[in-house]
Amino acid sequence: MDAKDTRGAVSALVTEPRFAQRLREYLEGEQILDVRYRLQKMPGGSVALPVLGEKLTEQHLRALQKSGPWEVPCRLTQLQDPVPSKAASVRTPAQKLCRELQRLVVGSGESWSEELERDVPRSWQRHGDLVLLSEDNFGAALWEKLGPALWETVASALGARRVAKRGRVSPGGMRSPSVTLLLGQDGWVEHVDNGIRYTFDVTKCMFSPGNITEKLRVASLPCSGEVLVDLYAGIGYFTLPYLVHAAAAFAHACEWNRHAVEALQRNLVLNGVQDRCRIHHGDNRQLELQDVADRVNLGLIPSSEKGWPMACRVLKKDTGGVLHIHHNVEVLPAPAHLQPGVSRDEQRPTKEAGSVGWEDREREHQSPKDTESCGKEMQVARVRPEWQRWAEATAMQIRGLLEELHGRPWRTSILHIEAVKSYAPHVHHVVLDLECRPTLPA
Ligand SMILES: C[S@@+](CC[C@H](N)C(=O)[O-])C[C@H]1O[C@@H](n2cnc3c(N)ncnc32)[C@H](O)[C@@H]1O
């Protein structure tokens, strides 16, 4: 039976209205009624029942022509403008996308396969009218043959106008996203996040939705009247919450990627804080600033260590301040009784477990002189020993840098360790809030 859909068309059996119910029962019984589309009235008063063209056989048509309980005079046609049924409209966007792609492939004379089905995206990032697909999708060679129709279909199935696809973040310091625009004129998108407007070009700047908790936390820090230095400002994901919500008086935003700088400039204006921020375009290690900051943000992973000497230099030399140091810390897999699903009480740490909670750790580790673990704001929940070890080593190192720079004693205190996200298996992106103060007046 040649009942193959042409592009956008759907196979249907046309009959007189008085036979429509009987035909419907037959098609339902044979599971070949295409419930994705509505029955359709045809010119002249006949009715078309959409059928699954690929499942309809000669035997079905013969059974309908043969005298007997299913005898229904009907003919096969193609509906050029099939109307989706209610059942179809409650499909998930991923199901809708899969169905539309299937129709496109079959309509182009190709066969649908399991490989293609696996290649269809099940999730994506949406940035207004632009959908950003992940690097794992549309790998099969066949997709390329479909040309621009493929991306038009993806856009229309997902209610978008532009489509882009992610590659791997290039390993260089610029953190270029390697995103390709597949449909549309440009990659500029706008987001509103916690009341802050951000615009950026998805093909040129990196976007980390996983950092949302850190952005919210930063927004709630008490920074009134403070001067911030953001050493890795990007498009302003942290600079802006500091200025807009945390009431920082002024920010120095350092960034060496010109595309991120362009987005940052636009974002400062969009949020009306351009007068409270100075952008330093270039390598932050060459920054010509010192003795200005109450707070320094070091939002670079896997490590911001190269920025630590500059962070020390920009801190106010007489009063010091707080560093927010991002880092990827490798951890050992948690013991079974600390795995998710175990209650907080059950999670109370034991020494035998080899993983200690915050209260125990304070007692066990005598803090080295002048490198304190305050833990005032520390969550009682799990602070992994690896985070703690890294934080203590960092506190020591920063104290050393400050003392060398200023030639007098400093104190560094761990205020808090924030878990931002799981970056990779057994790798956690954490932020250390480190208070740094000179211990003696100059
Ligand atoms: C991981 S991104 C994060 C940016 C920002 N915190 C965010 O979440 O959008 C780090 C940014 O630091 C910039 N960067 C890296 N090394 C730098 C350096 N030495 N000087 C200036 N900017 C740098 C990169 O271009 C990138 O935009």
Side-chain angles (χ1 to χ4, degrees), residues 58 79-80 122 205 247 266 284 288 312 410 413 421 440:
E58 293 287 355
L79 297 176
Q80 296 305 327
R122 275 157 192 78
C205 294
R266 293 190 189 199
N284 60 29
E288 289 195 353
C312 293
W410 278 63
S413 316
K421 63 177 182 283
L440 297 170

Side-chain angles (χ1 to χ4, degrees), residues 173-175 206 211 231-235 237-238 254-257 260 282-285 299-301:
M174 294 279 180
R175 308 273 296 162
M206 206 195 64
N211 293 348
L231 282 181
Y232 302 95
I235 69 162
Y237 273 120
F238 296 117
C254 310
E255 177 54 54
W256 66 6
N257 177 332
D283 187 337
N284 60 29
R285 288 165 294 184
L300 184 69
I301 51 171

Side-chain angles (χ1 to χ4, degrees), residues 279-334:
I279 298 175
H280 301 263
H281 184 183
D283 187 337
N284 60 29
R285 288 165 294 184
Q286 260 94 60
L287 189 63
E288 289 195 353
L289 269 186
Q290 59 184 30
D291 188 22
V292 291
D294 300 290
R295 210 172 272 274
V296 184
N297 198 65
L298 295 108
L300 184 69
I301 51 171
S303 171
S304 59
E305 196 166 342
K306 287 186 182 151
W308 296 358
M310 184 50 73
C312 293
R313 220 182 87 173
V314 296
L315 267 190
K316 286 185 175 165
K317 69 178 177 7
D318 292 336
T319 50
V322 176
L323 308 184
H324 300 280
I325 306 173
H326 291 233
H327 197 79
N328 276 354
V329 181
E330 208 167 323
V331 294
L332 294 169

Side-chain angles (χ1 to χ4, degrees), residues 124-132 151-164 183:
W124 46 84
Q125 270 180 16
R126 185 179 286 277
H127 301 273
D129 69 349
L130 183 150
V131 284
L132 179 56
W151 309 119
E152 280 156 16
T153 303
V154 171
S156 115
L158 299 181
R161 284 170 181 276
R162 295 178 291 166
V163 179
L183 181 70

